[in-house]
Amino acid sequence: MGRGPVLSDEVWGRIEPLLPAQYGKGRPFRDHRQVIEGIVFRYRCGIAWRDLPERFGPWQTV
């Protein structure tokens, strides 16, 4: 898999409105696109969560 985005902008545009908004008290959400792309990458490659590349952030929060 390349180093570019896992999801195209068109696909992301369809998914983004379905995710929760960033508001309220408490800790803010991580970047939704980074998290979703980490999940997709993991399932496409069939790797363990701990083996996710660093570009998706800590594997515990994906």
Side-chain angles (χ1 to χ4, degrees):
M1 301 210 61
R3 293 192 183 269
V6 176
L7 300 171
S8 69
D9 290 336
E10 179 184 347
V11 172
W12 178 247
R14 297 182 73 189
I15 294 172
E16 187 176 24
L18 304 173
L19 299 172
Q22 189 92 301
Y23 62 86
K25 296 181 180 179
R27 184 176 298 198
F29 294 126
R30 288 204 31 232
D31 177 43
H32 289 311
R33 186 167 186 162
Q34 184 183 34
V35 172
I36 298 296
E37 286 190 352
I39 293 168
V40 171
F41 184 89
R42 188 246 190 234
Y43 281 103
R44 281 186 183 171
C45 294
I47 60 174
W49 287 110
R50 291 177 188 240
D51 296 332
L52 274 173
E54 290 182 14
R55 66 184 171 133
F56 297 115
W59 65 269
Q60 299 95 331
T61 59
V62 172

